Amino acid sequence: MGVYITLVASNKVDPTQWEKAYEETLILADKMGLIEIREFEKFGQKYFAATSSAEREHPSGIGWLAEGDAIFMATAEDFFLPRKIGTPKQEENYCDPLMYVLAQNGIVDFKNQYVKNV
């Protein structure tokens, strides 16, 4: 038993913005020394080894997986970040709550074509 972390992205996120942010996370994952545990087979035996987190095909799709860090060799909950965000199942009728509050108080100019100011 463990903790599973999943990402649910708003349908207001522009795919090109997501792609740019995702590319930045690949750099961060490398610089932070994130690792994943992979299974290998050699001479008919299965082995498990910690390898650097990198983009590859996973059962959940293409993305990167982190299960710990290489600095302390400590493991944690799995975190998977997909390259492509899924299509929303239904249209959202709300906006980002933090941005909404900031806009209502005049702190930010809340004119973003991907986020509706209600």
Side-chain angles (χ1 to χ4, degrees):
M1 184 173 172
V3 175
Y4 177 76
I5 301 171
T6 187
L7 173 71
V8 178
S10 168
N11 69 359
K12 308 287 191 281
V13 175
D14 179 22
T16 56
Q17 291 174 331
W18 175 261
E19 189 79 20
K20 181 181 175 188
Y22 175 82
E23 290 295 331
E24 291 174 3
T25 67
L26 289 172
I27 296 167
L28 285 173
D30 181 52
K31 298 290 183 195
M32 293 173 60
L34 298 179
I35 59 171
E36 63 177 296
I37 309 300
R38 295 189 63 187
E39 182 180 321
F40 299 94
E41 188 170 331
K42 190 157 187 137
F43 305 115
Q45 296 290 325
K46 289 185 180 179
Y47 298 94
F48 293 90
T51 63
S52 295
S53 292
E55 181 180 62
R56 65 182 184 88
E57 182 72 39
H58 293 275
S60 301
I62 296 175
W64 60 266
L65 174 71
E67 297 177 278
D69 72 274
I71 298 167
F72 298 103
M73 290 305 290
T75 57
E77 294 82 14
D78 298 358
F79 178 80
F80 175 73
L81 192 67
R83 174 170 278 282
K84 303 282 184 198
I85 51 176
T87 307
K89 293 182 175 50
Q90 62 186 24
E91 185 175 331
E92 296 175 1
N93 295 320
Y94 62 93
C95 69
D96 181 314
L98 178 59
M99 292 299 288
Y100 177 75
V101 170
L102 293 175
Q104 297 306 311
N105 290 300
I107 298 170
V108 296
D109 182 16
F110 198 54
K111 292 187 169 93
N112 183 323
Q113 63 178 339
Y114 302 106
V115 181
K116 188 188 320 176
N117 189 5
V118 291

